[in-house]
mmCIF file of all heavy atoms in Angstrom:
data_model
loop_
_atom_site.group_PDB
_atom_site.id
_atom_site.type_symbol
_atom_site.label_atom_id
_atom_site.label_comp_id
_atom_site.label_asym_id
_atom_site.label_seq_id
_atom_site.Cartn_x
_atom_site.Cartn_y
_atom_site.Cartn_z
ATOM 1 N N LEU A 278 26.823 -174.764 -92.552
ATOM 2 C CA LEU A 278 26.289 -174.855 -93.938
ATOM 3 C C LEU A 278 27.381 -175.598 -94.803
ATOM 4 O O LEU A 278 28.561 -175.427 -94.611
ATOM 5 C CB LEU A 278 26.051 -173.457 -94.591
ATOM 6 C CG LEU A 278 24.807 -172.739 -94.230
ATOM 7 C CD1 LEU A 278 24.801 -171.433 -94.985
ATOM 8 C CD2 LEU A 278 23.502 -173.602 -94.536
ATOM 9 N N ASP A 279 26.905 -176.414 -95.733
ATOM 10 C CA ASP A 279 27.798 -177.154 -96.585
ATOM 11 C C ASP A 279 28.748 -176.119 -97.217
ATOM 12 O O ASP A 279 29.993 -176.367 -97.491
ATOM 13 C CB ASP A 279 27.122 -177.969 -97.632
ATOM 14 C CG ASP A 279 26.474 -179.214 -97.066
ATOM 15 O OD1 ASP A 279 26.928 -179.570 -95.860
ATOM 16 O OD2 ASP A 279 25.546 -179.756 -97.605
ATOM 17 N N SER A 280 28.262 -174.962 -97.624
ATOM 18 C CA SER A 280 28.951 -174.014 -98.422
ATOM 19 C C SER A 280 30.171 -173.375 -97.649
ATOM 20 O O SER A 280 30.962 -172.782 -98.174
ATOM 21 C CB SER A 280 28.102 -172.935 -98.999
ATOM 22 O OG SER A 280 27.414 -172.271 -97.940
ATOM 23 N N VAL A 281 30.137 -173.550 -96.300
ATOM 24 C CA VAL A 281 31.160 -172.831 -95.522
ATOM 25 C C VAL A 281 31.987 -173.934 -94.785
ATOM 26 O O VAL A 281 32.911 -173.608 -94.038
ATOM 27 C CB VAL A 281 30.598 -171.840 -94.535
ATOM 28 C CG1 VAL A 281 29.768 -170.792 -95.294
ATOM 29 C CG2 VAL A 281 29.785 -172.535 -93.452
ATOM 30 N N LYS A 282 31.654 -175.170 -94.909
ATOM 31 C CA LYS A 282 32.368 -176.226 -94.168
ATOM 32 C C LYS A 282 33.939 -176.216 -94.525
ATOM 33 O O LYS A 282 34.187 -176.057 -95.687
ATOM 34 C CB LYS A 282 31.775 -177.600 -94.486
ATOM 35 C CG LYS A 282 30.545 -177.944 -93.583
ATOM 36 C CD LYS A 282 30.039 -179.297 -93.901
ATOM 37 C CE LYS A 282 28.782 -179.587 -93.061
ATOM 38 N NZ LYS A 282 28.228 -180.900 -93.340
ATOM 39 N N GLY A 283 34.640 -176.345 -93.541
ATOM 40 C CA GLY A 283 36.147 -176.318 -93.764
ATOM 41 C C GLY A 283 36.666 -174.956 -93.611
ATOM 42 O O GLY A 283 37.875 -174.768 -93.531
ATOM 43 N N ARG A 284 35.832 -173.861 -93.677
ATOM 44 C CA ARG A 284 36.309 -172.507 -93.508
ATOM 45 C C ARG A 284 35.767 -171.775 -92.317
ATOM 46 O O ARG A 284 36.375 -170.906 -91.743
ATOM 47 C CB ARG A 284 35.865 -171.718 -94.740
ATOM 48 C CG ARG A 284 36.460 -172.178 -96.085
ATOM 49 C CD ARG A 284 36.174 -171.222 -97.243
ATOM 50 N NE ARG A 284 34.796 -170.918 -97.475
ATOM 51 C CZ ARG A 284 34.254 -169.767 -97.270
ATOM 52 N NH1 ARG A 284 34.954 -168.708 -96.845
ATOM 53 N NH2 ARG A 284 32.941 -169.623 -97.505
ATOM 54 N N PHE A 285 34.529 -172.260 -91.867
ATOM 55 C CA PHE A 285 33.830 -171.645 -90.672
ATOM 56 C C PHE A 285 33.950 -172.625 -89.493
ATOM 57 O O PHE A 285 33.721 -173.791 -89.720
ATOM 58 C CB PHE A 285 32.383 -171.327 -90.949
ATOM 59 C CG PHE A 285 32.226 -170.110 -91.880
ATOM 60 C CD1 PHE A 285 33.044 -169.732 -92.823
ATOM 61 C CD2 PHE A 285 31.003 -169.344 -91.715
ATOM 62 C CE1 PHE A 285 32.818 -168.623 -93.603
ATOM 63 C CE2 PHE A 285 30.771 -168.276 -92.465
ATOM 64 C CZ PHE A 285 31.667 -167.935 -93.476
ATOM 65 N N THR A 286 34.294 -172.076 -88.327
ATOM 66 C CA THR A 286 34.232 -172.939 -87.155
ATOM 67 C C THR A 286 33.545 -172.188 -86.036
ATOM 68 O O THR A 286 33.917 -171.087 -85.677
ATOM 69 C CB THR A 286 35.672 -173.289 -86.658
ATOM 70 O OG1 THR A 286 36.338 -173.920 -87.720
ATOM 71 C CG2 THR A 286 35.674 -174.230 -85.486
ATOM 72 N N ILE A 287 32.518 -172.881 -85.448
ATOM 73 C CA ILE A 287 31.770 -172.229 -84.396
ATOM 74 C C ILE A 287 32.212 -172.984 -83.071
ATOM 75 O O ILE A 287 32.372 -174.128 -83.022
ATOM 76 C CB ILE A 287 30.211 -172.317 -84.605
ATOM 77 C CG1 ILE A 287 29.511 -171.646 -83.476
ATOM 78 C CG2 ILE A 287 29.771 -173.788 -84.665
ATOM 79 C CD1 ILE A 287 28.006 -171.519 -83.777
ATOM 80 N N SER A 288 32.322 -172.145 -82.006
ATOM 81 C CA SER A 288 32.727 -172.699 -80.754
ATOM 82 C C SER A 288 32.215 -171.875 -79.576
ATOM 83 O O SER A 288 31.968 -170.722 -79.733
ATOM 84 C CB SER A 288 34.313 -172.850 -80.643
ATOM 85 O OG SER A 288 34.930 -171.545 -80.774
ATOM 86 N N GLN A 289 32.181 -172.558 -78.372
ATOM 87 C CA GLN A 289 31.723 -171.867 -77.188
ATOM 88 C C GLN A 289 33.001 -171.710 -76.289
ATOM 89 O O GLN A 289 33.852 -172.567 -76.399
ATOM 90 C CB GLN A 289 30.730 -172.729 -76.399
ATOM 91 C CG GLN A 289 29.565 -173.182 -77.171
ATOM 92 C CD GLN A 289 28.990 -174.531 -76.615
ATOM 93 O OE1 GLN A 289 29.813 -175.409 -76.051
ATOM 94 N NE2 GLN A 289 27.780 -174.727 -76.577
ATOM 95 N N ASP A 290 33.044 -170.648 -75.482
ATOM 96 C CA ASP A 290 34.074 -170.499 -74.517
ATOM 97 C C ASP A 290 33.375 -170.195 -73.185
ATOM 98 O O ASP A 290 32.861 -169.131 -72.948
ATOM 99 C CB ASP A 290 34.965 -169.276 -74.832
ATOM 100 C CG ASP A 290 36.179 -169.079 -73.968
ATOM 101 O OD1 ASP A 290 35.969 -169.529 -72.749
ATOM 102 O OD2 ASP A 290 37.192 -168.604 -74.381
ATOM 103 N N ASN A 291 33.365 -171.178 -72.351
ATOM 104 C CA ASN A 291 32.607 -171.069 -71.110
ATOM 105 C C ASN A 291 33.283 -170.160 -70.116
ATOM 106 O O ASN A 291 32.626 -169.572 -69.285
ATOM 107 C CB ASN A 291 32.509 -172.506 -70.452
ATOM 108 C CG ASN A 291 31.496 -173.306 -71.253
ATOM 109 O OD1 ASN A 291 30.545 -173.010 -71.775
ATOM 110 N ND2 ASN A 291 31.877 -174.694 -71.413
ATOM 111 N N THR A 292 34.605 -170.080 -70.215
ATOM 112 C CA THR A 292 35.298 -169.191 -69.223
ATOM 113 C C THR A 292 34.983 -167.684 -69.466
ATOM 114 O O THR A 292 34.933 -166.864 -68.572
ATOM 115 C CB THR A 292 36.871 -169.397 -69.265
ATOM 116 O OG1 THR A 292 37.284 -169.101 -70.649
ATOM 117 C CG2 THR A 292 37.241 -170.862 -68.966
ATOM 118 N N LYS A 293 34.843 -167.437 -70.812
ATOM 119 C CA LYS A 293 34.435 -166.070 -71.169
ATOM 120 C C LYS A 293 32.980 -165.844 -71.437
ATOM 121 O O LYS A 293 32.512 -164.750 -71.704
ATOM 122 C CB LYS A 293 35.193 -165.639 -72.456
ATOM 123 C CG LYS A 293 36.609 -165.616 -72.238
ATOM 124 C CD LYS A 293 37.457 -165.270 -73.551
ATOM 125 C CE LYS A 293 38.907 -165.255 -73.390
ATOM 126 N NZ LYS A 293 39.560 -164.850 -74.606
ATOM 127 N N ASN A 294 32.171 -166.980 -71.322
ATOM 128 C CA ASN A 294 30.739 -166.969 -71.592
ATOM 129 C C ASN A 294 30.560 -166.343 -72.989
ATOM 130 O O ASN A 294 29.742 -165.390 -73.109
ATOM 131 C CB ASN A 294 29.909 -166.291 -70.583
ATOM 132 C CG ASN A 294 28.532 -166.861 -70.603
ATOM 133 O OD1 ASN A 294 28.272 -168.086 -70.789
ATOM 134 N ND2 ASN A 294 27.522 -166.006 -70.335
ATOM 135 N N SER A 295 31.236 -166.797 -73.903
ATOM 136 C CA SER A 295 31.104 -166.258 -75.358
ATOM 137 C C SER A 295 31.021 -167.314 -76.418
ATOM 138 O O SER A 295 31.376 -168.466 -76.210
ATOM 139 C CB SER A 295 32.361 -165.334 -75.579
ATOM 140 O OG SER A 295 33.549 -166.062 -75.615
ATOM 141 N N LEU A 296 30.625 -166.845 -77.519
ATOM 142 C CA LEU A 296 30.503 -167.652 -78.760
ATOM 143 C C LEU A 296 31.407 -167.044 -79.826
ATOM 144 O O LEU A 296 31.542 -165.888 -79.894
ATOM 145 C CB LEU A 296 29.093 -167.644 -79.301
ATOM 146 C CG LEU A 296 28.680 -168.561 -80.500
ATOM 147 C CD1 LEU A 296 28.682 -170.001 -80.002
ATOM 148 C CD2 LEU A 296 27.375 -168.138 -81.034
ATOM 149 N N THR A 297 32.163 -167.936 -80.521
ATOM 150 C CA THR A 297 33.038 -167.493 -81.539
ATOM 151 C C THR A 297 32.723 -168.106 -82.882
ATOM 152 O O THR A 297 32.330 -169.215 -82.992
ATOM 153 C CB THR A 297 34.541 -167.790 -81.139
ATOM 154 O OG1 THR A 297 34.822 -167.117 -79.851
ATOM 155 C CG2 THR A 297 35.518 -167.396 -82.183
ATOM 156 N N LEU A 298 33.055 -167.332 -83.965
ATOM 157 C CA LEU A 298 32.952 -167.882 -85.229
ATOM 158 C C LEU A 298 34.291 -167.547 -85.993
ATOM 159 O O LEU A 298 34.568 -166.368 -86.190
ATOM 160 C CB LEU A 298 31.832 -167.306 -86.132
ATOM 161 C CG LEU A 298 31.636 -167.883 -87.480
ATOM 162 C CD1 LEU A 298 31.175 -169.335 -87.401
ATOM 163 C CD2 LEU A 298 30.644 -167.054 -88.240
ATOM 164 N N GLN A 299 35.108 -168.604 -86.186
ATOM 165 C CA GLN A 299 36.364 -168.431 -86.872
ATOM 166 C C GLN A 299 36.058 -168.500 -88.395
ATOM 167 O O GLN A 299 35.479 -169.562 -88.809
ATOM 168 C CB GLN A 299 37.329 -169.411 -86.452
ATOM 169 C CG GLN A 299 37.829 -169.321 -84.998
ATOM 170 C CD GLN A 299 38.917 -168.360 -84.786
ATOM 171 O OE1 GLN A 299 39.432 -167.803 -85.798
ATOM 172 N NE2 GLN A 299 39.444 -168.173 -83.588
ATOM 173 N N ILE A 300 36.608 -167.684 -89.186
ATOM 174 C CA ILE A 300 36.360 -167.748 -90.606
ATOM 175 C C ILE A 300 37.689 -167.631 -91.374
ATOM 176 O O ILE A 300 38.468 -166.667 -91.121
ATOM 177 C CB ILE A 300 35.425 -166.552 -91.068
ATOM 178 C CG1 ILE A 300 34.165 -166.457 -90.297
ATOM 179 C CG2 ILE A 300 35.086 -166.808 -92.526
ATOM 180 C CD1 ILE A 300 33.322 -165.280 -90.635
ATOM 181 N N HIS A 301 37.942 -168.571 -92.114
ATOM 182 C CA HIS A 301 39.214 -168.593 -92.890
ATOM 183 C C HIS A 301 38.889 -168.625 -94.435
ATOM 184 O O HIS A 301 37.827 -168.879 -94.836
ATOM 185 C CB HIS A 301 40.070 -169.884 -92.552
ATOM 186 C CG HIS A 301 40.436 -169.950 -91.088
ATOM 187 N ND1 HIS A 301 41.352 -169.163 -90.582
ATOM 188 C CD2 HIS A 301 39.961 -170.783 -90.136
ATOM 189 C CE1 HIS A 301 41.468 -169.430 -89.261
ATOM 190 N NE2 HIS A 301 40.678 -170.465 -88.985
ATOM 191 N N ASP A 302 39.936 -168.202 -95.156
ATOM 192 C CA ASP A 302 39.735 -168.177 -96.609
ATOM 193 C C ASP A 302 38.508 -167.504 -96.998
ATOM 194 O O ASP A 302 37.740 -167.970 -97.781
ATOM 195 C CB ASP A 302 39.827 -169.618 -97.209
ATOM 196 C CG ASP A 302 39.837 -169.685 -98.648
ATOM 197 O OD1 ASP A 302 40.313 -168.659 -99.263
ATOM 198 O OD2 ASP A 302 39.512 -170.708 -99.248
ATOM 199 N N LEU A 303 38.409 -166.206 -96.532
ATOM 200 C CA LEU A 303 37.202 -165.429 -96.798
ATOM 201 C C LEU A 303 36.971 -165.198 -98.294
ATOM 202 O O LEU A 303 37.940 -164.993 -99.090
ATOM 203 C CB LEU A 303 37.316 -164.085 -96.068
ATOM 204 C CG LEU A 303 36.883 -164.114 -94.583
ATOM 205 C CD1 LEU A 303 37.519 -162.969 -93.877
ATOM 206 C CD2 LEU A 303 35.373 -164.064 -94.455
ATOM 207 N N LYS A 304 35.744 -165.286 -98.683
ATOM 208 C CA LYS A 304 35.338 -165.021 -100.090
ATOM 209 C C LYS A 304 34.399 -163.886 -100.138
ATOM 210 O O LYS A 304 33.746 -163.400 -99.082
ATOM 211 C CB LYS A 304 34.653 -166.270 -100.653
ATOM 212 C CG LYS A 304 35.424 -167.568 -100.530
ATOM 213 C CD LYS A 304 34.673 -168.774 -101.063
ATOM 214 C CE LYS A 304 35.536 -170.041 -100.917
ATOM 215 N NZ LYS A 304 36.768 -170.014 -101.513
#
Side-chain angles (χ1 to χ4, degrees):
L278 281 180
D279 286 343
S280 61
V281 305
K282 279 183 180 176
R284 299 191 300 115
F285 286 31
T286 303
I287 186 172
S288 61
Q289 308 153 324
D290 186 333
N291 292 321
T292 60
K293 297 179 180 179
N294 206 37
S295 65
L296 184 74
T297 298
L298 185 68
Q299 295 272 1
I300 309 175
H301 299 291
D302 189 21
L303 277 156
K304 303 180 185 301

